[in-house]
Amino acid sequence: MTPKIVPSVLTADFARLGEVVAELDEAGVDRIHWDVMDGTFVPNLSFGPDVIAACRPHARCGFEVHLMCNRPEELFPRYVEAGCELLLVHPETLRQPHQAYRSITELGARAGIALSPASPLSHVDHMLDLVDLVLVMTVDPGFGGQSYLAGMEPKIAAARAKLDTVDRAVELEVDGGIGPGTIAPAARCGADVFVSGSALWRYPSFAEGVSDLRERARSAVG
Ligand code: DX5
Ligand code: ZN
């Protein structure tokens, strides 16, 4: 399977977000990752649904939203209406996780379970029939530009082993500090979707970055 490269626009120039998502789409990204922060679950603030909706017409690729907020279930319909086709949600932010993940599917979107570094993989138990993706965070949520936590690699590998027992496709995504030096080990542990923010912006162009990262992930496993 071809590794998927999913840029986080947290690194973008916010004054020209629409143009940036168009450039990323043109560069061949698999989808775009929106980091939503509420200043409570994480000590930072970012995009509301209206910002994402305003950017939606500028790209054809899919949008995923990573909800780093408390009580995100109240916002699910707004982010789906804004054009997000995949909602990544931290289980500890939910009052009724099982019901909440099911409600995402009922809204017509796909659901992903996001795990902070300290959150155990056991959060996905009893929930795998409801989700299409497991996200293993390789930094603490809240900010771009942090260093990749190699200590998460056994968790990525354990998630891969768990997903291999499921008889449907569930993506395994990693998020945080992913770049040319870290994508190969994450891929070898079994990740197949890679969020990249600051590292992608350091390439001469998005197209070069996307193809270099994809190739590094592909050659790491093949
Ligand atoms: C952290 C976010 C990540 C991060 C990615 O809270 O969820 O998506 O910003 O950016 P880099 O690749 O710079 O770690
Ligand atoms: Zn993220």
Side-chain angles (χ1 to χ4, degrees):
M1 198 161 79
T2 306
K4 293 191 169 82
I5 305 299
V6 180
S8 161
V9 290
L10 205 53
T11 314
D13 173 358
F14 289 180
R16 45 183 298 275
L17 265 181
E19 290 157 59
V20 174
V21 300
E23 289 165 13
L24 290 166
D25 189 25
E26 190 65 25
V29 305
D30 290 282
R31 48 184 189 252
I32 288 173
H33 181 95
W34 293 88
D35 284 306
V36 168
M37 305 179 183
D38 67 348
T40 302
F41 178 62
V42 291
N44 198 1
L45 284 164
S46 61
F47 315 107
D50 293 343
V51 174
I52 299 175
C55 291
R56 186 56 280 189
H58 294 265
R60 281 160 303 180
C61 63
F63 280 5
E64 65 178 37
V65 64
H66 179 187
L67 292 165
M68 287 165 276
C69 24
N70 286 320
R71 301 198 169 181
E73 57 272 56
E74 291 162 19
L75 295 167
F76 290 168
R78 304 255 343 256
Y79 283 99
V80 173
E81 280 160 27
C84 299
E85 53 100 10
L86 174 58
L87 273 55
L88 311 176
V89 181
H90 290 259
E92 57 271 58
T93 64
L94 297 164
R95 281 169 290 188
Q96 298 280 4
H98 188 272
Q99 183 188 68
Y101 288 109
R102 199 178 50 210
S103 75
I104 294 172
T105 312
E106 286 166 359
L107 288 167
R110 297 194 299 141
I113 297 189
L115 297 174
S116 295
S119 298
L121 183 60
S122 59
H123 273 300
V124 310
D125 292 344
H126 319 297
M127 223 92 80
L128 278 177
D129 57 326
L130 296 175
V131 299
D132 304 286
L133 182 146
V134 173
L135 169 62
V136 175
M137 289 208 67
T138 42
V139 297
D140 278 302
F143 299 93
Q146 303 179 76
S147 297
Y148 173 79
L149 298 170
M152 292 298 114
E153 288 173 0
K155 189 175 172 183
I156 303 167
R160 166 50 56 208
K162 206 178 273 280
L163 296 185
D164 283 347
T165 67
V166 178
D167 59 2
R168 47 189 279 272
V170 180
E171 294 178 315
L172 178 53
E173 180 167 295
V174 285
D175 180 17
I178 298 295
T182 55
I183 196 166
R188 275 195 291 272
C189 292
D192 49 20
V193 183
F194 303 88
V195 177
S196 185
S198 39
L200 180 63
W201 264 255
R202 282 196 284 269
Y203 282 89
S205 71
F206 290 145
E208 284 167 85
V210 169
S211 74
D212 181 65
L213 291 173
R214 202 178 270 140
E215 189 45 41
R216 284 172 190 269
R218 196 193 333 251
S219 56
V221 292

